[in-house]
Amino acid sequence: MSNPKENTEKIKTLCHQWGGSLFGVADLHAFKKEEILLSPFLMDQVSYGISVGFPLSDAILEEIENQPTPLYFHHYQRVNILLDTIGLIMTSAIQDLGHRAVPIPASQIVDWKTQKGHLSHKHLARAAGLGWIGRNNLLVNEQFGSRIRLVTILTDIPLVISSPAINDCGSCLDCLSVCPAGAIKVRQEEFDHFRCYEQLRTFAKTLHFSHNICGVCVKACRGPK
Ligand code: B12
Ligand code: SF4
Ligand code: SF4
């Protein structure tokens, strides 16, 4: 029987070596079946979700005024590739230890109608102690704010589960006025998904990006003051 503490340290070290600054572990039993779009057979084989966060370049984000830049678009794509690579490397290391691992794509949509991936990296990151869901509808980390991208690896290797973060946005409202779509509200539950989505589609069409990106509320969020 392998030791959860030793396993966690081993995988965390690997994560840091590959540039993943944030690492946490969530208990998958806390998630409802319908929140994860994977087969019940596969889900029966895994108990933990490892969440990894990679900090974006502050210099690239600071060039963004009120729309995405070509440099941000390239950065977004490369960070997704790196996160997927970290997922693969961690999968291989876990399999070498005799266990199962499933890297979830950093940015893949499987239900286009409701715009969902296999699972929400944000919700998993929150459960894994990386931060909270902010007014901008993104995962906000104490140290990096929302200036991070995320990936998840599901596994059955025994690990130490992290405690969820207890913070929230507090009185900060920095992201509200900057959103070009007016999608961000004081109450996070009132975030307007559709206004945001339409704005990103407009950016993609007018700026000729092949993905729906923006980055304005990512830049705005350095966490609460
Ligand atoms: C699809 C998607 C989008 C779609 C729609 C998002 C959505 N669901 O609302 C669009 C293109 C709009 C989008 C925009 C952005 N995204 Co995005 N996106 C994803 C992706 C691939 C899947 C999201 C998902 O499955 N959510 C699960 C659902 C259940 O969670 P939810 O969002 O809370 O669910 C609501 C919606 O589904 C909504 N809904 C229901 N029906 C419909 C129909 C439509 C048309 C829409 C729009 C919404 C909607 O209702 C649900 C309950 O409120 C994830 C990667 C991942 N696998 O997590 C990245 C991800 C969430 N995106 C990310 C980012 C950064 C962005 C952008 C900043 C774009 C950019 N890179 O510049 C913006 C930010 C918008 C915002 N403030 O929330 C990061 C977030 C990192 C962080 N720090 O939190 C992620 C995690 C990618 C990553 N690997 O890091 N995204
Ligand atoms: S991604 Fe852009 S449009 Fe969407 S909420 Fe953030 S700032 Fe607003
Ligand atoms: S900018 Fe402030 S209000 Fe907006 S998500 Fe970040 S911490 Fe919360």
Side-chain angles (χ1 to χ4, degrees):
M1 186 66 189
S2 57
N3 179 323
K5 215 169 158 211
E6 277 175 20
N7 295 338
T8 308
E9 277 316 308
K10 239 180 239 170
I11 300 165
K12 191 176 178 177
T13 303
L14 194 60
C15 168
H16 291 328
Q17 280 167 350
W18 279 83
S21 295
L22 302 175
F23 176 96
V25 180
D27 181 0
L28 286 182
H29 300 110
F31 288 79
K32 295 192 194 113
K33 281 203 171 70
E34 62 272 20
E35 288 176 320
I36 303 186
L37 306 181
L38 290 166
S39 77
F41 176 73
L42 197 156
M43 286 312 294
D44 279 346
Q45 302 172 37
V46 288
S47 304
Y48 305 92
I50 302 173
S51 181
V52 174
F54 183 88
L56 294 164
S57 157
D58 288 323
I60 291 178
L61 288 174
E62 275 145 27
E63 290 286 292
I64 295 177
E65 290 297 337
N66 44 19
Q67 60 182 40
T69 60
L71 198 55
Y72 173 67
F73 179 46
H74 183 77
H75 191 49
Y76 153 93
Q77 290 181 302
R78 300 309 301 183
V79 172
N80 281 344
I81 292 169
L82 176 61
L83 284 168
D84 283 337
T85 305
I86 293 174
L88 293 176
I89 285 162
M90 286 169 70
T91 296
S92 167
I94 292 168
Q95 291 192 160
D96 284 349
L97 293 168
H99 289 273
R100 288 190 171 273
V102 186
I104 304 299
S107 191
Q108 185 187 37
I109 298 175
V110 290
D111 182 340
W112 284 85
K113 210 166 152 224
T114 55
Q115 290 284 306
K116 286 185 182 171
H118 290 98
L119 56 76
S120 166
H121 293 312
K122 288 184 303 192
H123 294 151
L124 201 123
R126 177 178 54 183
L130 265 56
W132 62 95
I133 308 295
R135 295 195 164 97
N136 62 4
N137 194 43
L138 296 173
L139 195 279
V140 182
N141 172 262
E142 186 81 55
Q143 186 185 355
F144 299 104
S146 288
R147 294 178 167 201
I148 47 168
R149 289 189 70 76
L150 301 162
V151 77
T152 307
I153 299 95
L154 307 182
T155 183
D156 65 348
I157 191 168
L159 295 169
V160 179
I161 292 170
S162 316
S163 320
I166 44 167
N167 278 12
D168 60 24
C169 293
S171 58
C172 176
L173 298 169
D174 287 1
C175 54
L176 262 75
S177 58
V178 298
C179 171
I184 306 174
K185 315 286 177 195
V186 174
R187 282 167 49 83
Q188 192 273 321
E189 305 75 39
E190 287 171 13
F191 177 83
D192 194 329
H193 291 273
F194 295 95
R195 274 191 181 209
C196 168
Y197 178 69
E198 285 307 325
Q199 179 66 63
L200 269 56
R201 277 166 58 95
T202 304
F203 281 149
K205 260 187 233 152
T206 55
L207 302 170
H208 309 288
F209 294 132
S210 54
H211 287 74
N212 293 330
I213 57 157
C214 174
V216 173
C217 59
V218 176
K219 172 192 176 184
C221 183
R222 304 302 305 259
K225 307 289 148 345

